[in-house]
Amino acid sequence: MTDHATVPGSAQQQIDTSVPHSARIWNYWLGGKDNYPVDEQAGDAYSAVFPGIVTVARSSRAFLGRTIAHLVGEAGIRQFLDVGTGLPTEDNTHEVAQRLAPEARIVYVDHDPLVLAHARALLTSTPEGATDYVDADLADPDRILSAAARTLDLSRPTALILSNILGHVADHAQARAVVTHLMDGLPSGSYLAVNDGSRGVDADYERAQDAYNDSGAIPYFLRPVDQITAYFDGFELLEPGVVSVPLWRPDATAPAPRPIGEHGGLARKP
């Protein structure tokens, strides 16, 4: 790639372009341009060990699109709280939701200056709906809910999106507590969508991710499927449950899906 991220000066001063960053590497794997040479180098080094990471990244994005389409088209959801949104690429949450329901309202949450700068510049809403951007850490669910309430009516059903973010929380119990806290702030009829890297499917992926975590970069922890499933305890899991993401309600016209080391599901709060 020859074109790389450009951000406003105030944000640029907060961004360390000498160290690879997981959100920018993920953006690179998805074909985006919001990254730097150091991120490309790290992404290429990872994919040299595990070429399947590009499939994981793109399958994760496709899963997100299918869950949002179901939430809008089948469940009637018009409010979305997307925490740990990452850098904008194609078919972002608001684009999928507002394509189907222009009045949909979306709040993106992240705690990275590059993500927030690009989100504000690129993720614009339809006139009928709304998008907003919250600078908050996943570890501060009270701040997330308080800020989201400026745009969303949290007395109405809302979908909480946690896509490839909970793996950044080292302690599984803490990650579960965050999910519980956020869902406690949403009413009955709300939904929880989670997808994260998983163990038990692809040993090459596990070795590559463990090596990446040992490199000094911000770690991301793959988890056994039962731990990902535990995020949905107390909620009504929709069929087919927690599965490898290509197997979650695949498009009828798509090639036969194959399992990968990424699991997810969608559940309703009773």
Side-chain angles (χ1 to χ4, degrees):
M1 297 174 63
T2 56
D3 296 324
H4 297 284
T6 56
V7 296
S10 59
Q12 181 72 51
Q13 295 174 4
Q14 305 175 52
I15 297 169
D16 185 351
T17 61
S18 67
V19 177
H21 187 285
S22 59
R24 302 194 306 251
I25 296 171
W26 196 257
N27 175 267
Y28 173 54
W29 287 330
L30 287 171
K33 294 184 177 181
D34 296 322
N35 48 73
Y36 296 94
V38 67
D39 306 304
E40 293 186 16
Q41 293 163 12
D44 288 343
Y46 193 116
S47 61
V49 176
F50 177 59
I53 189 59
V54 175
T55 298
V56 170
R58 295 179 180 177
S59 296
S60 169
R61 178 56 55 127
F63 168 81
L64 177 66
R66 295 196 303 276
T67 56
I68 294 170
H70 172 85
L71 287 165
V72 175
E74 303 296 327
I77 296 296
R78 296 295 183 268
Q79 300 192 129
F80 295 83
L81 178 56
D82 187 338
V83 181
T85 178
L87 286 159
T89 52
E90 294 182 356
D91 281 343
N92 302 288
T93 296
H94 79 288
E95 291 171 326
V96 178
Q98 292 182 343
R99 190 181 303 142
L100 298 169
E103 72 277 17
R105 305 175 74 83
I106 296 90
V107 170
Y108 291 104
V109 181
D110 213 293
H111 193 50
D112 179 276
L114 179 66
V115 169
L116 294 167
H118 279 271
R120 292 189 176 102
L122 299 175
L123 303 185
T124 56
S125 176
T126 58
E128 303 93 329
T131 60
D132 196 9
Y133 316 96
V134 172
D135 182 359
D137 193 281
L138 180 64
D140 192 356
D142 284 326
R143 172 176 169 77
I144 291 172
L145 292 167
S146 175
R150 296 196 297 261
T151 300
L152 307 179
D153 178 357
L154 297 186
S155 69
R156 296 175 53 213
T158 300
L160 173 63
I161 308 296
L162 296 166
S163 180
N164 290 106
I165 184 64
L166 294 171
H168 286 296
V169 182
D171 182 74
H172 181 244
Q174 182 182 356
R176 287 189 65 185
V178 168
V179 174
T180 299
H181 196 142
L182 288 169
M183 288 301 292
D184 282 348
L186 304 180
S188 174
S190 292
Y191 284 80
L192 170 66
V194 173
N195 62 286
D196 258 310
S198 56
R199 290 189 177 275
V201 174
D202 193 324
D204 290 339
Y205 182 20
E206 294 168 24
R207 282 192 291 269
Q209 188 59 46
D210 290 345
Y212 176 86
N213 290 351
D214 291 339
S215 72
I218 297 173
Y220 178 86
F221 300 94
L222 306 180
R223 291 205 159 99
V225 176
D226 64 332
Q227 291 190 359
I228 296 174
T229 303
Y231 294 131
F232 297 99
D233 285 354
F235 305 123
E236 301 167 351
L237 261 173
L238 277 62
E239 293 294 335
V242 175
V243 295
S244 182
V245 292
L247 307 182
W248 197 92
R249 304 191 180 194
D251 295 332
T253 58
R258 298 177 59 185
I260 59 173
E262 173 91 8
H263 278 67
L266 178 66
R268 182 182 182 276
K269 180 177 179 177

